[in-house]
């Protein structure tokens, strides 16, 4: 057997193995759970739609407190024809009518996708929702809190301060955990050395954001001249109530 022929055989075998892995994950995405064996909640996963337009949207995942490489799969609502056009911080393993499979390169970083959509009759919120989540071969249920959430669920307090800065600790109630929490200060501030107890996400203008897992608090060190007031709070992009 010459080298070229042997190379073709090896390529074919690797392709079959690749397709088998993808098929197993995609099938798991929609496999019904048996009574008494329902998967647990995705307590370390936050999903949000960060942008949308008439024919598509951008979805972002954050795995809170995770590191290393991960295999990850999910499925979209069957009422829509959705195609993932590209991904970042991950490799697109495969997709079909059953779902999408990616290989996450570094779970400590947010990863996401750009998708095109046809069939918007029921609205963006349903088209861009996901279910059937599989992480490293294990199913989990993506469960985000009902919105809007009461502002009393997210309480910011200054624990120490000095000229030009202060430390903020935010307590998080049960209904606001495993969420994207956003807040806006009334003036210009800068967060130093990231956020602890949560994953800092890119700011949107003056709005700061953090992906909060199942913990009851997170915090940060802030540089600011005199600003101490937070003007708005959101949970999963919805304004909290009772400010």
């Amino acid at each position: 057997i010459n080298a070229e022929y042997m190379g073709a055989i090896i390529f074919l075998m690797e392709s079959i193995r690749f397709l088998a892995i993808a098929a197993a994950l995609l099938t798991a995405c929609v496999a019904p759970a048996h009574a008494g064996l329902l998967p647990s909640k995705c307590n370390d996963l936050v999903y949000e739609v960060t942008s949308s337009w008439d024919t598509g949207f951008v979805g972002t995942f954050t795995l809170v407190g995770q590191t290393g490489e991960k295999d990850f799969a999910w499925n979209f609502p069957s009422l829509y024809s959705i195609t993932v056009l590209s991904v970042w911080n991950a490799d697109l393993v495969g997709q079909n009518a059953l779902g999408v499979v990616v290989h996450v390169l570094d779970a400590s970083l947010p990863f996401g996708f750009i998708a095109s959509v046809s069939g918007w009759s029921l609205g963006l919120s349903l088209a861009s929702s996901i279910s059937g989540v599989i992480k490293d071969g294990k199913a989990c249920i993506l469960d985000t809190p009902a919105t809007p959430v009461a502002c009393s669920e997210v309480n910011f307090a200054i624990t120490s301060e000095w000229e030009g800065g202060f430390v903020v600790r935010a307590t998080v109630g049960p209904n606001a955990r495993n969420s994207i929490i956003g807040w806006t200060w009334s003036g210009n501030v800068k967060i130093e050395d990231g956020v602890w107890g949560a994953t800092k996400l890119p700011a949107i203008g003056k709005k700061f954001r953090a992906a909060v897992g199942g913990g009851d608090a997170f915090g940060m060190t802030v540089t600011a001249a005199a600003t101490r007031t937070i003007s708005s709070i959101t949970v999963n992009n919805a304004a909290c109530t009772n400010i």
Side-chain angles (χ1 to χ4, degrees), residues 36 61 70 82-83 106 110 120 123 144-145 160 176 189 221 230:
F61 296 98
K70 301 284 183 182
I82 300 177
T83 302
D106 183 353
W120 287 90
T144 54
S160 64
V189 303
T221 301
I230 291 177

Side-chain angles (χ1 to χ4, degrees), residues 70 86-93 102-106 110-112:
K70 301 284 183 182
S86 63
V87 298
W88 64 90
N89 290 339
D91 290 329
L92 180 61
V93 176
V102 299
H103 179 71
V104 180
L105 306 178
D106 183 353
F111 63 97

Side-chain angles (χ1 to χ4, degrees), residues 23-157:
L25 285 171
L26 288 171
T27 302
C29 277
V30 295
H34 296 285
L37 297 176
L38 291 175
S40 59
K41 293 182 180 180
C42 306
N43 290 326
D44 58 357
L45 172 67
V46 178
Y47 168 70
E48 68 169 342
V49 176
T50 53
S51 181
S52 64
W53 52 96
D54 289 345
T55 58
F57 63 96
V58 176
T60 301
F61 296 98
T62 302
L63 288 168
V64 181
Q66 300 291 299
T67 59
E69 299 183 26
K70 301 284 183 182
D71 291 318
F72 192 81
W74 72 91
N75 64 298
F76 294 110
S78 58
L79 295 173
Y80 299 85
S81 176
I82 300 177
T83 302
V84 172
L85 303 176
S86 63
V87 298
W88 64 90
N89 290 339
D91 290 329
L92 180 61
V93 176
Q95 62 178 313
N96 60 23
L98 297 179
V100 182
V101 179
V102 299
H103 179 71
V104 180
L105 306 178
D106 183 353
S108 67
L109 300 175
F111 63 97
F113 60 89
I114 300 174
S116 64
V117 185
S118 60
W120 287 90
S121 59
L122 296 181
L124 169 65
S125 61
L126 178 57
S128 57
S129 63
I130 67 169
S131 59
V133 175
I134 307 291
K135 296 184 300 175
D136 281 339
K138 296 181 180 180
C140 67
I141 299 172
L142 185 64
D143 182 25
T144 54
T147 55
V149 171
C151 292
S152 58
E153 293 284 326
V154 184
N155 183 32
F156 290 86

Side-chain angles (χ1 to χ4, degrees), residues 135-192:
K135 296 184 300 175
D136 281 339
K138 296 181 180 180
C140 67
I141 299 172
L142 185 64
D143 182 25
T144 54
T147 55
V149 171
C151 292
S152 58
E153 293 284 326
V154 184
N155 183 32
F156 290 86
I158 296 174
T159 57
S160 64
E161 57 184 313
W162 55 91
E163 184 177 357
F166 53 95
V167 174
V168 173
R169 183 178 187 271
T171 56
V172 182
N175 294 325
R177 295 171 191 170
N178 304 309
S179 303
I180 301 289
I181 294 179
W183 65 97
T184 304
W185 271 292
S186 56
N188 294 323
V189 303
K190 180 181 179 181
I191 296 177
E192 303 289 350

